[in-house]
Amino acid sequence: MKHPLKQHIEEIIKLTDEEFEFILSHFETTTKRKYQYILQENEIADKEYWIVKGCLKSYFFDESGKEHILQFGMENWWITDYESFIKQSKSKINIDCIEDCELLYITYENREKLTKEMHKMERFWAKKSKFGRIALQNRILSLLKNSSKERYEFLLEQYPKLFQRVPKKLIASYLGVSRETLSRLNS
Amino acid sequence: MKHPLKQHIEEIIKLTDEEFEFILSHFETTTKRKYQYILQENEIADKEYWIVKGCLKSYFFDESGKEHILQFGMENWWITDYESFIKQSKSKINIDCIEDCELLYITYENREKLTKEMHKMERFWAKKSKFGRIALQNRILSLLKNSSKERYEFLLEQYPKLFQRVPKKLIASYLGVSRETLSRLNS
DNA sequence: AATAATTTGTGACAAATGTCACACGTTAAA
DNA sequence: TTTAACGTGTGACATTTGTCACAAATTATT
C-alpha cells in the first residue's frame, strides 16, 4: 500500500519510490496523547508536523484570557506555527492535541536541507505556501463578508467530520463568536 | 540612482545589474487614472502589478451590495488577485485606482518563464509568498482577537500615510466595520 | 463663482452579539 | 459507584454595532 504521505505529496508532484524514501528519511515519527502540546507560546517552532491520525488545534489567548482558535488539524494536514517556523521567531500560539495523535514531523534544518537537495521539494513547498495563502485570503474574505451563521454553515458543509470530533465551544472560538451565540444559531 | 524595483527585490535577494536588467525585461509599464480598474470580477488576473506610484484598493461586494476591502496597495507593494493569478481562475474581486497610478506589471506567462529561467527569482517569489501568508495569518489573528478600535489604532500606527490618502469609509470597510462605527471610535 | 458630489459626524433606534447565571446531561476520574 | 469536571442549551440583560436620516464641511466639476 502506498504511504499516505507519498499520496499526499503526489497530489502536487509525482515521485519515484526512491525519491519518496529519501524524503521520508528526513522525517521522524511521534505519538502524542490528548491534551499534550506540540508547541507552546514563546517557544520557537522548530518542527512542521504532518498528521497521520488524530486532531489538533492551534490557538492563542487575548488579554482577557479568552482562547481563539486559529486552525484545526486533522489527518493529512500540516500543522505548525507558520510564522514562527519560517522566521524561526518566538511563537505567539499554542498547538495541542484534541485526540490521541500519530504524527510525522520534519525539523526546520531538515526542511532547509531537503529544499536545497531536491528541487521537487522546493516546488512542493512553494506550491503548498501559495495554496495556504489562498486559503487564508478566503478566510479573511469570509470573516469580512459572511455573518457568523453563514460562516458556521459553510464550515459544517466543508468539514462535517469536525463537528463529531471537537466540542462546539472550539468551533465557536474558530468562527470568532461566543459559544452561546453559536448555540443559538440553529434556532 | 538604483531602480526602486531592484532595491525592493534586493531586500530579499542580491542581484547584479545584468540580472536586474534581465528581470526588468519581463515587465511592462503602464499608467492608470483615478477610478480606472486593473482587474474586474470574473476576469482572470493575468498580471501581477508592482506599484511605482499611487494607491489602489482590491475589494468585492457581498449579496447586499456592500463593498469590502481586502487590501490596499501603495508604493513598492505588489497587487493582484492572488488566488486568480496563481490558479488562473476567475477572480472574485475588483482592483482599481484610488489615485492616478504608475505601475509595473509582469504577466503570468512571463513570471512562470522567469521562475524557470532564474532560480533566484523562484526563491524571491517563494519568500514573498511565505511572508504574504504570514501577514494574512496575522490579519486573521487580529480579526479574531482585537476589537474594531484596536484594529483601527493598529492600522493607524502601521500605515499613518494611508489615512491622509484614502477616505475613512474605505478604512472602515477594510477593518470590517460600518463607517459610522469607525467615525465614533475616536470618542 | 456657483453648483454638484463626496466625505464625515451624529442622533435615534433596531439588530446582533456578549456576558452572566443556571440547569441538565454526558464524560472522566477517584 | 460516586463524585467531579466538562459540554451544552437557554433566559435575562448589557454592550456593541449596524442602519437610516440628516446636516455640515470638504472637494470636484462646470
Side-chain angles (χ1 to χ4, degrees), chain B residues 60-170:
Chain B
F60 61 97
F61 297 103
D62 62 23
E63 306 76 38
S64 70
K66 211 186 317 172
E67 173 182 330
H68 298 274
I69 294 197
L70 181 61
Q71 199 205 322
F72 290 108
M74 293 191 294
E75 285 78 12
N76 299 2
W77 282 71
W78 296 89
I79 199 162
T80 188
D81 176 6
Y82 199 76
E83 176 168 21
S84 169
F85 186 73
I86 293 300
K87 304 210 283 203
Q88 288 291 288
S89 59
K90 277 194 182 178
S91 176
K92 291 174 251 180
I93 69 163
N94 306 274
I95 305 180
D96 49 47
C97 300
I98 303 178
E99 303 170 353
D100 293 353
C101 286
E102 212 181 300
L103 306 165
L104 279 169
Y105 65 82
I106 186 165
T107 60
Y108 181 77
E109 291 74 26
N110 267 351
R111 191 173 129 156
E112 289 289 292
K113 216 169 73 163
L114 190 48
T115 303
K116 280 177 194 130
E117 285 165 342
M118 197 173 161
H119 188 237
K120 276 191 181 180
M121 285 308 279
E122 177 171 12
R123 272 168 38 225
F124 172 75
W125 274 311
K127 201 144 200 177
K128 216 164 65 62
S129 172
K130 285 175 185 174
F131 281 100
R133 185 173 170 184
I134 290 169
L136 292 183
Q137 172 163 321
N138 281 324
R139 184 154 170 216
I140 290 175
L141 251 64
S142 178
L143 280 167
L144 291 176
K145 181 174 76 172
N146 299 117
S147 68
S148 29
K149 179 153 196 174
E150 288 169 328
R151 295 205 303 280
Y152 170 77
E153 283 161 356
F154 193 64
L155 188 69
L156 184 59
E157 186 183 38
Q158 239 188 328
Y159 305 106
K161 284 172 218 160
L162 200 61
F163 290 73
Q164 291 138 28
R165 294 175 79 166
V166 312
K168 298 231 172 113
K169 65 169 186 173
L170 296 185

Side-chain angles (χ1 to χ4, degrees), chain A:
Chain A
M1 208 197 82
K2 201 184 271 191
H3 193 292
L5 181 57
K6 184 172 187 221
Q7 204 161 328
H8 171 78
I9 297 174
E10 289 203 321
E11 284 171 22
I12 292 180
I13 283 171
K14 294 294 158 202
L15 297 172
T16 65
D17 288 350
E18 293 71 39
E19 283 174 328
F20 177 68
E21 285 310 316
F22 180 68
I23 292 165
L24 196 57
S25 73
H26 291 75
F27 282 80
E28 304 270 348
T29 308
T30 184
T31 60
K32 295 278 174 187
R33 291 280 178 81
K34 188 172 177 177
Y35 301 124
Q36 280 192 296
Y37 63 85
I38 60 170
L39 179 69
Q40 280 193 309
E41 223 177 306
N42 293 322
E43 292 176 355
I44 292 170
D46 63 332
K47 302 181 181 75
E48 182 172 25
Y49 292 84
W50 190 74
I51 306 164
V52 179
K53 180 128 196 45
C55 190
L56 301 95
K57 59 174 174 168
S58 84
Y59 61 100
F60 61 98
F61 297 102
D62 62 24
E63 307 74 41
S64 70
K66 211 186 317 175
E67 174 182 330
H68 298 274
I69 294 197
L70 181 60
Q71 200 206 322
F72 291 108
M74 295 191 293
E75 285 79 9
N76 298 2
W77 282 70
W78 296 88
I79 199 162
T80 188
D81 176 5
Y82 199 76
E83 175 166 22
S84 168
F85 186 73
I86 293 300
K87 304 211 283 204
Q88 288 291 289
S89 60
K90 275 193 183 179
S91 176
K92 291 174 250 179
I93 68 162
N94 305 274
I95 305 179
D96 50 46
C97 300
I98 304 178
E99 304 170 352
D100 293 353
C101 286
E102 211 181 303
L103 306 164
L104 279 169
Y105 66 81
I106 186 165
T107 60
Y108 181 78
E109 290 75 25
N110 267 350
R111 192 174 128 154
E112 288 291 293
K113 217 170 70 161
L114 190 48
T115 302
K116 282 180 193 128
E117 284 166 342
M118 197 173 162
H119 188 237
K120 276 191 180 180
M121 286 309 280
E122 177 170 13
R123 274 169 36 227
F124 172 74
W125 275 310
K127 201 142 199 179
K128 214 163 67 64
S129 172
K130 286 174 184 174
F131 281 100
R133 184 172 170 186
I134 290 169
L136 292 183
Q137 172 163 321
N138 283 323
R139 184 156 170 211
I140 290 173
L141 252 63
S142 177
L143 280 167
L144 292 176
K145 182 173 76 171
N146 299 117
S147 67
S148 31
K149 180 154 195 174
E150 289 168 326
R151 296 206 303 280
Y152 170 77
E153 283 162 356
F154 193 63
L155 188 69
L156 185 59
E157 186 183 40
Q158 241 188 326
Y159 305 105
K161 283 172 218 158
L162 201 61
F163 290 73
Q164 292 139 27
R165 294 175 79 166
V166 313
K168 299 229 170 115
K169 65 168 187 175
L170 296 185
I171 305 274
S173 168
Y174 175 85
L175 293 171
V177 295
S178 70
R179 55 165 209 86
E180 292 92 337
T181 297
L182 182 71
S183 168
R184 282 185 257 257
L185 286 183
N186 300 308
S187 16

